[in-house]
Amino acid sequence: MNWQRWIRPGLIVTFVVAAAALLTRHGAVEHDIGGRVAAELAADGLGWATVDVSARDVTIRGMAPSVDAQDQAVVAAGKVRGVRGVTNASDLLPIVSPYVWSAKRDGRSVTLTGSVPSEGSRAAVLAAARRALPEAEIRDGMELARGAPATFNSATAFSLARLASLGEGVVTLTDSTLAVNGTAANAQAYVDARDAFTQQLPAAVILGPIDVLPARADPFVFSANFDGKSISLVGFVPNDIVHKTLVSTTKATLPNVPVVDSVVIASGEPPGFAEAASFAIAQLDRMHDGGVTLDGLNLDVAGTAKSVDDYDALLENLSAGLPQGMKIVSAAIAPAVASPYGWAAEKSDSGVVLSGYVPSAADHEEVVATARIVFAGLPVDDRVRVAAGEPRMDWIGAIKFAMGQLGRLARGSVAIGDHAYSIQGE
């Protein structure tokens, strides 16, 4: 009997089964070690690292944020029970200098760009963005790189909180220097942003160029209202300098009158706003009470003149010498009361002189036009003033009657008072 013929197949089968069992055992061991090493790396904050296991030997791979992180990964893997040796085959992130990170907001859209030192930092920045801007659509365009300052996470969190106060704009960190450019979301956000930059700046952040415009006001309206006892300022001004200038102008125009200041800083002012607003406020000096309102550079004036002279001066100011670009859209100015109230005309060979009062500018034009017809061929010297307080009668009708009578004289005069009419001449 050939015993080799019978025993050889059995030996081969035994060998194959033993080898398969050995490989299976090795596979289970590698899988177990790999799982426990990965868990240890994750627990130590080294999630960037991946592992390969051969028997009981571990190879660290991945993109390490620093040399220290590579060393930490090797140490962490070596502590795992069953690991015989650890090899570092990881790569290092590229190093950049200066280290720049930025966030841009355009309405609800927020885009993060620049460098971030690790996946952990990426997660922290994204979490800070969601806290600061919970309704925003956040786009992540950040790339991993070495070279970040140690305070990177806290600096980006502060920057994102400032971005939340902007309706649109950009915050940029260059190493530890923060630059901000944009427009505030609203008036309160503008105030809060200024306070944050002056009172809440973290020690780790250096303040760079800050160019934050106040929220845009459309329409850009400003008004000053005087009730005879106090003056109130409301509406919008473009900045603190103009604000202080207008308050000073108000106090100089109406000395010893309390000022109630409720203006808000906003952008969107027209060119020449400060000059136009100062001009408008100055007109209140000639009013007993009233107000001025600027809508852009369109001026609306309403009130009561302090005196007959003030009424004339107001009309003169509003008809000539306006600041460039300003337009008068309404001038509802009531004349001051004159007492005693009268009107007179005197005719001589050299012409006719008109004097006294009429209740409105339209009445004034009517009286002068009638005089030029009645006294055709003679020069008319118009000294009539506009004032309130006329007698309860057809005052203009009485003046026309009196001029008609004077027109019949070669020379003479007529006068009308509260309850009197007189005429004399040739």
Side-chain angles (χ1 to χ4, degrees), residues 190-204:
Y190 180 73
V191 174
D192 293 343
R194 291 194 304 175
D195 291 343
F197 291 131
T198 56
Q199 302 174 18
Q200 303 171 25
L201 190 69

Side-chain angles (χ1 to χ4, degrees), residues 17-292:
V17 170
L22 183 61
L23 289 173
T24 301
R25 181 181 175 189
H26 275 289
V29 169
E30 290 173 352
H31 180 74
D32 174 60
I33 290 176
R36 287 187 289 113
V37 170
E40 181 67 25
L41 292 172
D44 287 355
L46 303 168
W48 58 267
T50 60
V51 295
D52 290 337
V53 181
S54 176
R56 291 186 295 120
D57 294 323
V58 174
T59 300
I60 304 294
R61 301 189 187 280
M63 193 66 72
S66 66
V67 174
D68 288 342
Q70 289 178 315
D71 295 340
Q72 291 170 14
V74 171
V75 172
K79 294 190 300 183
V80 175
R81 182 175 55 83
V83 173
R84 181 172 55 194
V86 180
T87 300
N88 175 31
S90 64
D91 295 317
L92 281 170
L93 292 174
I95 189 166
V96 296
S97 181
Y99 203 87
V100 179
W101 171 92
S102 70
K104 179 179 180 180
R105 182 179 187 182
D106 186 2
R108 292 188 60 195
S109 176
V110 174
T111 303
L112 308 178
T113 57
S115 301
V116 65
S118 67
E119 291 298 340
S121 289
R122 183 195 300 274
V125 170
L126 290 172
R130 294 187 187 99
R131 286 194 302 271
L133 300 142
E135 298 181 359
E137 298 175 1
I138 299 172
R139 297 186 177 94
D140 178 13
M142 298 179 290
E143 297 181 354
L144 294 173
R146 289 183 294 153
T151 55
F152 177 82
N153 285 1
S154 60
T156 53
F158 176 81
S159 302
L160 287 164
R162 304 290 68 77
L163 185 67
S165 66
L166 304 181
E168 57 182 26
V170 180
V171 292
T172 301
L173 280 170
T174 304
D175 294 325
S176 296
T177 301
L178 173 63
V180 183
N181 182 282
T183 302
N186 51 56
Q188 187 57 49
Y190 180 73
V191 174
D192 293 343
R194 291 194 304 175
D195 291 343
F197 291 131
T198 56
Q199 302 174 18
Q200 303 171 25
L201 190 69
V205 176
I206 300 170
L207 206 58
I210 304 298
D211 185 13
V212 177
L213 293 175
R216 184 175 181 83
D218 187 14
F220 199 93
V221 178
F222 168 84
S223 65
N225 300 289
F226 177 47
D227 63 4
K229 297 179 181 178
S230 65
I231 183 168
S232 60
L233 305 179
V234 297
F236 304 106
V237 294
N239 53 55
D240 285 329
I241 295 175
V242 173
H243 183 195
K244 292 177 181 177
T245 298
L246 296 184
V247 171
S248 298
T249 300
T250 303
K251 292 179 178 178
T253 300
L254 296 167
N256 304 317
V257 175
V259 177
V260 180
D261 180 11
S262 302
V263 299
V264 174
I265 294 177
S267 59
E269 77 283 4
F273 169 81
E275 183 182 0
S278 295
F279 172 86
I281 291 171
Q283 307 315 305
L284 297 176
D285 180 44
R286 298 190 177 277
M287 295 188 194
H288 178 269
D289 56 74
V292 291

Side-chain angles (χ1 to χ4, degrees), residues 191-405:
V191 174
D192 293 343
R194 291 194 304 175
D195 291 343
F197 291 131
T198 56
Q199 302 174 18
Q200 303 171 25
L201 190 69
V205 176
I206 300 170
L207 206 58
I210 304 298
D211 185 13
V212 177
L213 293 175
R216 184 175 181 83
D218 187 14
F220 199 93
V221 178
F222 168 84
S223 65
N225 300 289
F226 177 47
D227 63 4
K229 297 179 181 178
S230 65
I231 183 168
S232 60
L233 305 179
V234 297
F236 304 106
V237 294
N239 53 55
D240 285 329
I241 295 175
V242 173
H243 183 195
K244 292 177 181 177
T245 298
L246 296 184
V247 171
S248 298
T249 300
T250 303
K251 292 179 178 178
T253 300
L254 296 167
N256 304 317
V257 175
V259 177
V260 180
D261 180 11
S262 302
V263 299
V264 174
I265 294 177
S267 59
E269 77 283 4
F273 169 81
E275 183 182 0
S278 295
F279 172 86
I281 291 171
Q283 307 315 305
L284 297 176
D285 180 44
R286 298 190 177 277
M287 295 188 194
H288 178 269
D289 56 74
V292 291
T293 298
L294 270 176
D295 184 346
L297 292 181
N298 295 326
L299 179 62
D300 185 335
V301 184
T304 303
K306 286 196 297 188
S307 69
V308 175
D309 289 340
D310 287 317
Y311 179 84
D312 290 342
L314 274 170
L315 294 186
E316 177 66 22
N317 290 345
L318 298 177
S319 62
L322 294 175
Q324 185 174 3
M326 176 181 275
K327 296 179 181 178
I328 306 299
V329 294
S330 177
I333 302 169
V337 174
S339 182
Y341 203 93
W343 178 89
E346 183 176 351
K347 181 181 179 183
S348 66
D349 294 337
S350 59
V352 178
V353 177
L354 308 180
S355 60
Y357 303 107
V358 292
S360 71
D363 292 332
H364 185 194
E365 292 176 1
E366 184 177 358
V367 166
V368 174
T370 301
R372 291 198 171 108
I373 294 172
V374 172
F375 305 111
L378 290 174
V380 175
D381 183 0
D382 174 26
R383 301 179 187 178
V384 175
R385 315 284 296 278
V386 175
E390 72 277 13
R392 295 175 178 268
M393 58 182 290
D394 181 4
W395 185 251
I396 302 304
I399 290 175
K400 289 181 176 179
F401 171 81
M403 284 194 292
Q405 298 302 307

